[in-house]
Amino acid sequence: MPMKRSRVDTEEELTLSVAIKQQQQKQSTEDQARVQKIAKESNPPKLGHFLDNCHYCKKHMPVGVEVYMYRDFCGFCSIGCREIQMSLDKLAKKQAKLAQKQSASISDKVDQ
């Protein structure tokens, strides 16, 4: 019956594999440090003018703070501002439907 061979045959190969792993870890750490340094030095990209100010209260929103989105390009500084805008939009939609119904009923009366 053949004997099983171990993955690392000699102490020298074991030492070499440990050295390679340590070198890879050191390189990875250096790469991460380099990326962090570049990220700190560079300015973050400007995503769009719609994120500069709150859509409802027009308050300036600095880069890096949470932005609450609604619809396509409406950024809000808080959940409260977003909720108010959503309520205003619902009210405007209801009023538009009501006005449309009223104009339809007036045109029906005129036709008679």
Side-chain angles (χ1 to χ4, degrees):
M1 176 171 2
M3 288 182 51
K4 284 189 173 179
R5 237 177 120 181
S6 66
R7 293 182 132 202
V8 180
D9 290 332
T10 64
E11 219 176 286
E12 185 178 295
E13 288 177 352
L14 178 62
T15 305
L16 181 62
S17 68
V18 168
I20 289 172
K21 285 182 183 177
Q22 288 174 345
Q23 184 180 7
Q24 288 172 342
Q25 288 174 345
K26 181 181 175 186
Q27 184 66 35
S28 175
T29 304
E30 289 173 357
D31 289 343
Q32 288 174 355
R34 194 175 310 123
V35 167
Q36 287 175 353
K37 181 181 177 187
I38 291 170
K40 285 180 183 178
E41 292 173 355
S42 67
N43 293 327
K46 195 154 181 104
L47 298 175
H49 64 86
F50 64 94
L51 296 176
D52 289 342
N53 298 313
C54 177
H55 185 76
Y56 178 72
C57 71
K58 309 300 182 209
K59 180 175 126 184
H60 176 69
M61 296 187 299
V63 175
V65 299
E66 282 192 35
V67 176
Y68 302 91
M69 298 299 295
Y70 172 61
R71 293 204 173 172
D72 291 337
F73 296 107
C74 297
F76 297 90
C77 64
S78 68
I79 293 174
C81 284
R82 186 184 70 178
E83 293 293 327
I84 292 170
Q85 185 64 48
M86 290 169 71
S87 297
L88 290 173
D89 288 350
K90 285 180 185 177
L91 182 62
K93 193 173 183 178
K94 285 181 183 178
Q95 288 177 344
K97 283 183 180 180
L98 182 63
Q100 187 179 18
K101 285 181 182 178
Q102 287 177 346
S103 67
S105 66
I106 290 173
S107 64
D108 287 344
K109 288 180 182 177
V110 171
D111 290 340
Q112 291 177 356

